[in-house]
Every structure is written in structure tokens, then in C-alpha cells.
Amino acid sequence: MPTIKHIIETHGGRILERWAEEAQKTASARGLSQPELMNIMPTFLASLVEVNVRQPSGRQVELVESHLASRLRQGFDLPELQSEFALLSRCIFQAWAAVPPEQRCDPLEVDRILEIVHASTVLVSDRFVRHLLDDAQSEKRFFRLIRQAFTGEPSDALRRFPTLADRLHAAMPIVMEALGAATAAILLHEPTTEKLVMTASAGIADESLTHYVRSLSPSSFAGTIASRDVPTSLLDAETTELDVTDTLRHSGIHALLGVRIPLQRRLLGVMYVGLREQRPFSAREKQRFEAIAHHLALLIENVELYGMLHDQIEALQEEQRMREVFSSILVHDLRGPLSAARVAAQLVNRSIDDPRSNRWMSTVLRSLDRSERMVSDLLDAQRVKAGDRLPLSRERCDILDIVRDVVAELSQQHGDRFVVVAPEGPTTGNFGREELRRALWNLASNALKYGSADPVRFTVRSRPDLVEVEVHNEGPPIPADEQATLFEPFTRARHERASPGGWGLGLAVVRGVAEAHGGSVDVDSTPGRGTSFTMRLPVGDEGPPENAEGRAPVTPGR
């Protein structure tokens, strides 16, 4: 009686011929040579009659796995792989059905062969899914390595800050490894010239030393890539009519795959990889290359954004430095003329008896005093910003007297707007009279400027080894998120910015004076309770300790 082995041996050539006719119609099989298309199928077909079992043998499993590996390299997807084994089953059944009935073998033999082929299909599906999982993990690893190439520390002895070109040069070998390529290159787009400039390259066709600049014209391979939102491939770099570098054309590289960065949106550049062999790139290779290009686009944009921010910070720092230099020059240049004008005004005021002229000269002297305070505030704010302790001219004095002097001076201009609450205990200590006077004047001026029309209240409290001075005003509170930075030089709250004038120096000087005495200052500002600034000043003879650099320690939370 005929056997399935006899049918396959007799009609095997026709089975494989029919199989090849149908198999070459799939998208991924196009362009494959006959041996590449057939691959393990002749050997696999012959192995089906060697054992009398219904599951693939060890040899057949090896053949299936070898076939899967080849098809993955050629870019086959899972449905195409499954269709190849389903097609083989159909061709075997057709060969059996074409035999005259009297020459056919037992149908159970055919069923056993078809079960082995089906089990091989299941095996190939399982291995393919495992490959996809492994491939996804591998892709994550390449993304991580590329990200590290962009964010890693510079390794050269000078510790030079890496440029974008440095980062891309470090990333190119990783791109090569991810695609199994022999070369890789990236050209960045210069918006001002509308040119693509060779920026980084690696591999056997290292073009990094080539000054290669091309327009966006599709006459070049780079320009063609930039004009498309899908990957662009070439079969042979050596014979292509498109413009490529001479280094690349004569390097032994044939197949090229290029991609726009990014595929859509603003053009950042183009990237391509090359293979030694002349073959089409698989769909999976193109997908991976697109994913890498998308990842690189994000990293390039981040570097560009960081560079812009770095430049802006440097510009702001330079502006700040110039402002400080200007302020320093202004302070030193103004102090001399102001002192001379004040002395002259005092002499004139003493030499005349006319009451009206005396009032005018008193106004001049008050204005000069205010100008001198502003100059001193500016100089002290610079010291505070530098972390230096303000110098004090200490003497034995009563803080309550200083408060009353400040109130008397401000009352000449603002009238009866102040209330002084005196303590029962002593308020005398070793203080810097003029510095405290200026600090309290600043607090009172702020209360008048930004508070309501209600009286400004000075409250002096006597504590053990401590004197407190609180300046309180009613009115809208200072936002909580701004209170922590109020005492920084050149800082103004939002409600202050709407008011004309003011450099944001007064509170910085208040803090500097308090800390120079070894004390502190804080603010309490809430809706319904108004705003209170409280200075706490030790009455001892010694100021705060200095650090090794001769500077006062920084108060936590400032």
C-alpha cells in the first residue's frame, strides 16, 4: 500500500515549487533570492516522513528556529511566518489529493504530517512573541544607553562641558549597534542657512572629519531624507545617483536607511545608517530606526532648550553683575557730593535768621538725609548679598529713644500717623544707633507706603537679654509664597511692584542690621490681622560669631 513517505519523495519537487510560487507573493519575500526564499523548507519537508510521531522532533525544532531567525533578519512579521507553514500544509494536502484514489496512502498518515506542520506553526508563533518581548527590552536598553550618552559627564581631562556634537558623536556607535549597521551619521539643520551640516559619524565610513554641508534639495540623499516623513532607503550607496560623501560612496557600504528627525514638526536634522550588504531593510528595522530618531529628537530639543536657558541665565548674571558694578560706582560717587551738600546746607541754615528760609533749608536737609539713607541702603544691600556682616558703630543707647526719633522725623512729613507702645522693662543695650535708626525708618516707610490709612504701631518689648521692636500696619496681607524671599536684596512683593519707585533694598538692610546685632527679623502677615515685622535684638555687648572667611553665618530659612 502507498505511504505518505512515497508521495512526498515522489512529488516533493512539485510541492516545493507550488509553495515557492505562493510564498514569494508576501511583502517581505520580495527581492529574496531562490535559496533565501526556500531556506529550510526542502530539509523540513523531507524530515516530516523520518519519524512516526505527531509532534516536531528535535531536528525539526532546530529547523523551525533557524527559519525564524532568518525571517526575522529579513523583516517578516508573524502573519507572514504563519502563512508559510499553512501554505506548506495546503501544498502537501493538494499533492496527496492529486494522486489517484487507488494510489493514495492512509488519510491518517496525512493527518499526522499536517499535525506536525501545525505544531511547527504554533512553535514559530511562540518563539516570535518571545523575540518581540526580548526585542522590546533590547530597544529599551538602547534608549537608555543613548540617553546616558547625552546626559553623562564629560570624560576628558579638562572636564569640558560637552557640546551637542559631542553628545551625538557618543550616541552614533549605539545607533549602529541597535541596527546592526556598519556606519551611522547625523546631519543637523541650520535654520539661518537652511543647510544640513555633518555633525557626528561613526563606523567604517566615519564622515565626522568631512566638511559636508548640503541644502534641503532632494538631489542629495540627506535632502531626500529631510523631504519625507517616512524612512528613506537605498540599495547601494556606491552606485546611487543621489549626492553622498565620497567617504561613504567608497567605503564598502551599500544599503542605506535614513530618517528625518523628527518625522513631523520642525526639522532638527537627518540621520542614516549603512550596511555592508546590499539588501532591503525590514519593517522591524525601520520601526526601530524611527523610534530611535524620535528619542533622539527629544534629547536634541532638551539640549537646545538647556542651552537657551543657560545663555539666558548667563545674560541675566552679567546684567546683575553690571547692575552691582553700576550701583557700587553710584554709591561711592554720590556719597562725596551728598556729604558736601549737607555740610553746606547746615552752614547756610545756621547763618540765617529768616524763619521761611530756615524751613526751606530744613526741607533740603531732610531730603539730603533721605538720599544718604538710600545710598547707605544700596551699599549695605550689596554687603548682605555677598554674605558679609554689616559694620556697626555700637554705643550704649535706648532703643525706645531711637523709635521715638524715627517717629518724630516721619511725623514731620506724614503727620499724626504713628502710635508708640512702650514697655515697662529696660530697653537699653549696646546697639548700633544709626544702623537701627535706618532699619526702623525702612520698616515704617514700608508700612506707610503699602498699608492702609490706619495708624502704624511701634511696639517695643523688653525680654530677658532681648529687646523686640514690632512695626505693625493694617491692610492687605503679603502672599504667603512671597514672605520667605522678602528679605532678599532687590526683591519686591507683587503688590509692591505696582507702586512706583523702590529697589527692594529696605528689608534686606533690616535683616542685615538685625543679624549684625546677633538677632533676627521675621514677618507675620495674614488676612484680618495686618502685617507685622518684628526685630529681636540681644542686649549683650558682642555681636554674632564670624566664620572662617570673616562673614556672618547665614540664618536658616532666609
Side-chain angles (χ1 to χ4, degrees):
M1 182 177 180
T3 62
I4 189 63
K5 178 178 180 181
H6 174 75
I7 292 175
I8 288 178
E9 289 177 346
T10 303
H11 302 283
R14 181 56 184 159
I15 291 173
L16 292 172
E17 183 180 336
R18 287 180 176 177
W19 179 88
E21 288 176 358
E22 294 298 321
Q24 67 184 357
K25 295 178 182 179
T26 61
S28 297
R30 295 171 187 171
L32 294 180
S33 64
Q34 188 68 10
E36 289 174 329
L37 177 66
M38 299 301 293
N39 200 24
I40 55 93
M41 283 304 171
T43 307
F44 181 76
L45 178 63
S47 72
L48 293 175
V49 298
E50 292 177 357
V51 291
N52 189 23
V53 293
R54 291 181 176 270
Q55 291 296 322
S57 65
R59 171 60 176 157
Q60 289 166 341
V61 169
E62 290 179 0
L63 290 171
V64 169
E65 290 180 340
S66 173
H67 187 67
L68 172 63
S70 296
R71 289 306 191 238
L72 286 173
R73 287 194 300 271
Q74 293 156 354
F76 279 63
D77 58 25
L78 181 56
E80 290 174 330
L81 273 165
Q82 292 171 331
S83 69
E84 287 191 327
F85 286 91
L87 179 59
L88 180 63
S89 294
R90 187 162 68 248
C91 291
I92 292 173
F93 181 81
Q94 290 173 348
W96 175 81
V99 174
E102 63 276 8
Q103 298 180 11
R104 293 175 186 169
C105 64
D106 188 344
L108 292 178
E109 287 192 61
V110 179
D111 184 61
R112 179 184 64 81
I113 296 296
L114 297 183
E115 279 192 28
I116 295 175
V117 177
H118 175 72
S120 298
T121 306
V122 174
L123 177 64
V124 108
S125 301
D126 177 68
R127 296 292 194 274
F128 189 90
V129 171
R130 290 186 188 180
H131 166 77
L132 287 182
L133 293 175
D134 292 342
D135 194 50
Q137 290 301 111
S138 176
E139 195 167 274
K140 291 178 183 177
R141 180 175 68 88
F142 288 124
F143 287 169
R144 175 175 55 81
L145 291 174
I146 291 173
R147 187 165 59 252
Q148 286 178 348
F150 262 70
T151 59
E153 293 292 330
S155 58
D156 56 278
L158 296 178
R159 308 298 293 170
R160 178 173 54 86
F161 187 79
T163 64
L164 178 57
D166 293 332
R167 300 171 195 270
L168 290 171
H169 186 74
M172 286 301 98
I174 304 169
V175 175
M176 285 174 51
E177 182 183 354
L179 273 297
T183 193
I186 187 166
L187 295 87
L188 292 184
H189 176 232
E190 288 190 350
T192 55
T193 61
E194 287 297 306
K195 302 286 187 181
L196 292 167
V197 181
M198 179 65 67
T199 306
S201 177
I204 63 172
D206 189 352
E207 303 167 90
S208 58
L209 299 179
T210 304
H211 185 65
Y212 185 72
V213 180
R214 288 296 179 270
S215 69
L216 298 179
S217 167
S219 61
S220 67
F221 181 53
T224 302
I225 297 171
S227 67
R228 298 177 179 176
D229 58 2
V230 294
T232 303
S233 59
L234 287 178
L235 280 178
D236 193 358
E238 185 177 354
T239 60
T240 181
E241 295 182 358
L242 291 175
D243 178 29
V244 297
T245 66
D246 291 337
T247 303
L248 179 62
R249 192 180 295 275
H250 303 299
S251 63
I253 292 294
H254 292 285
L256 292 176
L257 178 64
V259 65
R260 185 184 191 273
I261 303 176
L263 289 176
Q264 288 85 30
R265 299 185 288 114
R266 176 176 66 93
L267 176 65
L268 298 176
V270 299
M271 177 173 61
Y272 58 81
V273 293
L275 308 177
R276 294 177 184 270
E277 60 265 36
Q278 185 175 331
R279 68 163 176 85
F281 287 86
S282 67
R284 180 58 190 152
E285 288 172 323
K286 293 178 180 179
Q287 290 170 2
R288 171 170 285 188
F289 202 36
E290 287 181 5
I292 290 174
H294 175 72
H295 196 65
L296 272 176
L298 296 177
L299 292 172
I300 291 171
E301 287 176 339
N302 285 343
V303 170
E304 289 184 341
L305 179 60
Y306 179 84
M308 291 171 58
L309 291 175
H310 184 265
D311 291 344
Q312 289 179 3
I313 290 172
E314 284 192 338
L316 290 173
Q317 288 175 338
E318 178 63 18
E319 180 182 341
Q320 175 71 13
R321 190 187 70 82
M322 292 301 296
R323 182 169 63 178
E324 291 175 355
V325 170
F326 172 76
S327 300
S328 179
I329 294 173
L330 182 65
V331 165
H332 289 91
D333 286 355
L334 280 178
R335 293 191 103 174
L338 284 173
S339 297
R342 195 176 194 285
V343 170
Q346 288 174 334
L347 292 174
V348 171
N349 192 38
R350 293 171 186 169
S351 64
I352 57 177
D353 292 330
D354 180 28
R356 187 172 61 173
S357 298
N358 288 139
R359 286 196 301 273
W360 291 345
M361 292 311 300
S362 295
T363 302
V364 170
L365 286 169
R366 285 197 301 272
S367 298
L368 287 171
D369 286 341
R370 184 180 179 188
S371 298
E372 284 188 338
R373 275 194 296 269
M374 292 173 61
V375 169
S376 296
D377 282 354
L378 187 55
L379 182 60
D380 287 346
Q382 290 177 332
R383 287 172 175 157
V384 170
K385 187 174 179 62
D388 296 331
R389 193 175 71 199
L390 298 187
L392 297 177
S393 299
R394 288 178 178 268
E395 59 181 283
R396 197 73 179 171
C397 56
D398 191 333
I399 285 185
L400 186 58
D401 290 342
I402 299 174
V403 170
R404 287 170 173 157
D405 286 346
V406 170
V407 168
E409 179 182 348
L410 289 171
S411 296
Q412 294 180 22
Q413 182 178 355
H414 300 284
D416 192 15
R417 290 283 310 277
F418 301 95
V419 174
V420 178
V421 180
E424 294 182 358
T427 55
T428 301
N430 192 35
F431 303 117
R433 179 191 295 271
E434 290 304 317
E435 291 79 16
L436 277 178
R437 190 173 187 277
R438 194 149 47 89
L440 294 174
W441 192 92
N442 286 342
L443 289 176
S445 296
N446 281 352
L448 290 169
K449 187 184 297 184
Y450 304 115
S452 66
D454 296 296
V456 175
R457 186 177 70 246
F458 281 84
T459 303
V460 183
R461 303 184 184 95
S462 178
R463 309 289 190 193
D465 301 322
L466 194 71
V467 176
E468 289 184 356
V469 182
E470 176 188 325
V471 180
H472 175 83
N473 65 267
E474 299 295 336
I478 302 170
D481 61 333
E482 297 185 8
Q483 293 180 23
T485 59
L486 277 179
F487 298 101
E488 297 297 326
F490 305 105
T491 299
R492 303 179 71 198
R494 279 193 295 269
H495 69 283
E496 294 179 3
R497 295 171 202 151
S499 303
W503 289 5
L505 302 177
L507 293 179
V509 172
V510 170
R511 186 187 78 174
V513 170
E515 292 181 351
H517 282 85
S520 64
V521 61
D522 58 40
V523 59
D524 178 21
S525 185
T526 55
R529 291 170 50 187
T531 299
S532 294
F533 286 88
T534 303
M535 295 182 71
R536 296 176 175 86
L537 306 167
V539 296
D541 292 337
E542 296 183 2
E546 295 183 348
N547 60 24
E549 298 178 357
R551 295 184 175 184
V554 177
T555 303
R558 296 296 181 216

